Amino acid sequence: MLSNETIDWYSFGYYESSALANKNRRGVVMKPLTTLELLSTLVSFDTTSRQSNLQLINYVRNYLDDYDIESTLIYNDEGDRANLYATLGPHDVGGVLLSGHTDVVPVTGQAWDSDPYQLTDKGGVLYGRGSSDMKGFIAATLAAVPTMVAQRLQTPLHLAFSYDEEIGCVGAKHMVEKLKLLEVKPKLGVIGEPTLMQSIVGHKGKQTFRVEFTGFSCHSAYLDDGVNAIEHAAKLILFIQQMNQNLVDRGQTDSGYSVDHSTFQTGVIKGGTVINIVPRTCEFIFEIRHLPQHDVEAMLKEITDYADQEVLPEMRAKNSECDISFTNLSAYPGMHTHVESECVELVSSLTNHACSGEKVSFGTEGGLFQEHLDIDCVVCGPGSIDQAHKPNEFIHQAQLVECDGFLQRLIQNCRAS
């Protein structure tokens, strides 16, 4: 059982890590790197989603190997991206999962004042893509590895670094399938997304769909002979938009969220060719960000029923070849952890921030670990989500120091007595 003993470790690891220098099994003297040094290296790797993260993953694997820590790589089908999983301490006890994603969003079209792939320090404010979301947490975790090795951990710490989180938690889905095979799985999880080191107990799930409309083309001068795919798609888009208000009217809300209901929005649309041809095709992509306790399948059925029973019959009345199809592009579950849970109690005590029961509308990999592996999770990490995905993304150095302190206290909590 993990205790909730709180110890002041803030001054221990961040600037004094050289005190932990030791030899690995090959006799090489290891001088630990600081969180700042590690973050500078991690930011330098362009790990934009949908491209390889292997350069970063291999760096992390070699870093762990220098401390005689075995790690497992879980590759995607193409072999150009990988998750990394490693356990420090015994393998027959559940322990604590430390989870972070290695991918970042693109900088394309963003106006940066500095090189996004070079960490830039401006008076304790550290600029760089991924500095806040979420390489800061990964850097702090790696900086804590020498302490993990030096302590005789009774409760293990598990490192889980994933790929392609930003496009639908793709890598974590592959990871959980492998972790299901473990005889002993992690018991608790810390998802290091930027929360200013506050304990977040819930987040929404998300599903994304592509809807394709097939109408019938003709010369626009003879409008009645055709079926306008764009105009019929617009009817469904307006229905999806109305779903937001419908949920509020039904009282399907949760005041723990700043946006207190499941949300629907269309983000991409394309169709037609030229103005004087009635468009045969149109497609759009919409998302549902749903409260964890709500039945997303029932919500989707309302949308598909309207398409099948209202829009499509109107189209086929003019041409039987018309069609509407739905494709699920991505999905991940929501997360809900009870405020009274052991995980929340532990993390709150080690961060010195009381848990307010706050929940967030953005998604994390915590929902997957909770749903598929029964790991109680808390979202807690350095930096602010307000900086994520924006030009000139930054993290305050003080946030990294605070995360270092949390991890050092966690290690002390997990060490053998």
Side-chain angles (χ1 to χ4, degrees):
M1 179 67 68
L2 296 172
S3 72
N4 294 308
E5 180 183 6
T6 299
I7 301 172
D8 183 10
W9 282 78
Y10 276 114
S11 63
F12 178 79
Y14 199 74
Y15 297 109
E16 302 299 331
S17 59
S18 60
L20 291 174
N22 54 22
K23 291 183 179 180
N24 64 15
R25 62 171 174 250
R26 296 182 298 278
V28 177
V29 176
M30 303 304 304
K31 182 179 179 180
L33 299 173
T34 67
T35 299
L36 190 58
E37 291 169 330
L38 285 159
L39 180 57
S40 181
T41 299
L42 296 180
V43 166
S44 72
F45 297 117
D46 179 359
T47 52
T48 304
S49 302
R50 294 196 183 279
Q51 68 185 39
S52 178
N53 72 334
L54 290 184
Q55 193 176 7
L56 182 151
I57 285 293
N58 287 329
Y59 170 81
V60 173
R61 191 179 204 187
N62 290 335
Y63 175 87
L64 295 176
D65 187 60
D66 284 339
Y67 288 97
D68 302 328
I69 300 167
E70 294 184 1
S71 59
T72 298
L73 300 190
I74 304 165
Y75 290 90
N76 66 342
D77 292 340
E78 294 74 22
D80 60 353
R81 293 191 268 293
N83 303 300
L84 181 146
Y85 187 80
T87 295
L88 292 89
H91 288 67
D92 59 349
V93 183
V96 181
L97 181 78
L98 300 175
S99 167
H101 64 80
T102 63
D103 61 315
V104 297
V105 297
V107 299
T108 307
Q110 295 186 342
W112 282 70
D113 296 331
S114 59
D115 184 345
Y117 299 111
Q118 179 177 332
L119 192 67
T120 302
D121 185 352
K122 297 182 180 180
V125 182
L126 309 172
Y127 293 86
R129 174 55 87 218
S131 56
S132 185
D133 184 20
M134 58 177 297
K135 292 180 178 179
F137 178 77
I138 295 175
T141 300
L142 294 176
V145 162
T147 314
M148 298 179 193
V149 172
Q151 300 293 327
R152 293 186 307 111
L153 295 180
Q154 179 174 310
T155 301
L157 294 169
H158 311 276
L159 312 185
F161 303 146
S162 65
Y163 67 87
D164 284 359
E165 185 271 352
E166 296 287 5
I167 56 175
C169 299
V170 177
K173 292 174 185 175
H174 290 169
M175 189 186 301
V176 297
E177 291 305 312
K178 296 295 184 181
L179 297 187
K180 284 179 182 178
L181 304 177
L182 296 177
E183 289 187 14
V184 179
K185 302 172 182 62
K187 181 180 181 183
L188 310 177
V190 178
I191 315 301
E193 294 278 4
T195 68
L196 295 174
M197 296 305 298
Q198 302 290 323
S199 296
I200 303 299
V201 299
H203 69 70
K204 294 181 179 178
K206 178 182 174 181
Q207 296 211 28
T208 306
F209 299 88
R210 178 190 295 117
V211 188
E212 296 173 279
F213 281 71
T214 303
F216 186 75
S217 290
C218 69
H219 194 297
S220 62
Y222 302 96
L223 191 67
D224 289 345
D225 293 339
V227 179
N228 190 313
I230 292 177
E231 292 179 355
H232 284 88
K235 296 175 184 178
L236 185 58
I237 290 172
L238 289 174
F239 181 84
I240 292 170
Q241 180 190 40
Q242 183 60 38
M243 289 283 291
N244 289 293
Q245 189 59 47
N246 292 346
L247 293 181
V248 174
D249 293 343
R250 296 170 191 167
Q252 295 179 331
T253 60
D254 184 336
S255 60
Y257 291 88
S258 58
V259 180
D260 66 1
H261 57 89
S262 298
T263 59
F264 304 76
Q265 76 103 18
T266 300
V268 178
I269 185 169
K270 61 181 179 180
T273 52
V274 295
I275 190 60
N276 60 349
I277 298 177
V278 171
R280 177 179 178 273
T281 63
C282 180
E283 68 176 57
F284 65 87
I285 298 175
F286 75 95
E287 68 173 16
I288 306 174
R289 291 184 181 267
H290 61 93
L291 299 175
Q293 64 269 37
H294 286 172
D295 184 354
V296 68
E297 297 304 323
M299 297 175 183
L300 178 63
K301 188 175 186 301
E302 286 191 55
I303 296 170
T304 57
D305 282 352
Y306 181 81
D308 292 341
Q309 298 170 17
E310 300 293 334
V311 182
L312 188 57
E314 183 180 339
M315 297 171 70
R316 285 182 172 171
K318 299 188 71 174
N319 190 292
S320 62
E321 296 180 1
C322 293
D323 197 18
I324 305 173
S325 65
F326 288 75
T327 303
N328 190 321
L329 300 179
S330 65
Y332 58 78
M335 186 192 89
H336 178 71
T337 303
H338 293 292
V339 176
E340 301 83 8
S341 71
E342 179 185 0
C343 188
V344 174
E345 184 179 357
L346 175 71
V347 174
S348 297
S349 69
L350 298 180
T351 59
N352 293 329
H353 292 300
C355 180
S356 65
E358 184 180 355
K359 305 168 186 177
V360 293
S361 294
F362 66 84
T364 81
E365 295 168 337
L368 288 165
F369 293 127
Q370 190 173 73
E371 180 173 286
H372 295 285
L373 300 173
D374 197 27
I375 300 174
D376 253 355
C377 293
V378 170
V379 184
C380 180
S384 170
I385 195 64
D386 290 342
Q387 308 310 321
H389 301 193
K390 295 179 180 178
N392 298 322
E393 178 183 350
F394 67 83
I395 189 170
H396 288 282
Q397 188 169 344
Q399 278 287 296
L400 296 178
V401 175
E402 189 170 344
C403 186
D404 286 332
F406 160 70
L407 290 168
Q408 295 295 340
R409 287 191 291 275
L410 177 61
I411 294 166
Q412 176 70 8
N413 195 276
C414 293
R415 72 174 185 168
S417 57

